[in-house]
Amino acid sequence: MLTCKEQVARSSDFIDGQLSFRERLMMHHHLLFCPNCRRFMRQMRLLQATLRELPEPPVPGLDELAARLAAEQKNTIK
Ligand SMILES: [Zn+2]
């Protein structure tokens, strides 16, 4: 099973559909058992959906917010 760190590292690719079928399965499997990562993925999806809706250039600060979310998630896991 993936660790939370591996899960977080792959999260953007997962949302963007860049992962192989096998990797996606592994992510889904991890999410089934890990409420932390489920919450994180929900936040990432919301954030990415928001970014996509925005006209260019994106609102300043959203990139930072995404980076902070990822950093916070890394701090909450071992
Ligand atoms: Zn996890």
Side-chain angles (χ1 to χ4, degrees), residues 1-7 10 23 26-27 29-30:
M1 184 157 134
L2 289 177
T3 65
C4 290
K5 272 185 186 166
E6 289 167 332
Q7 184 83 10
R10 287 169 167 81
E23 282 176 311
M26 283 159 65
M27 298 282 284
H29 186 252
H30 183 104

Side-chain angles (χ1 to χ4, degrees), residues 51-74:
L51 283 173
R52 249 176 244 129
E53 297 297 313
L54 292 171
E56 297 293 329
V59 172
L62 272 177
D63 279 349
E64 269 170 49
L65 183 60
R68 208 168 61 220
L69 266 180
E72 275 172 19
Q73 179 71 0
K74 273 174 195 149

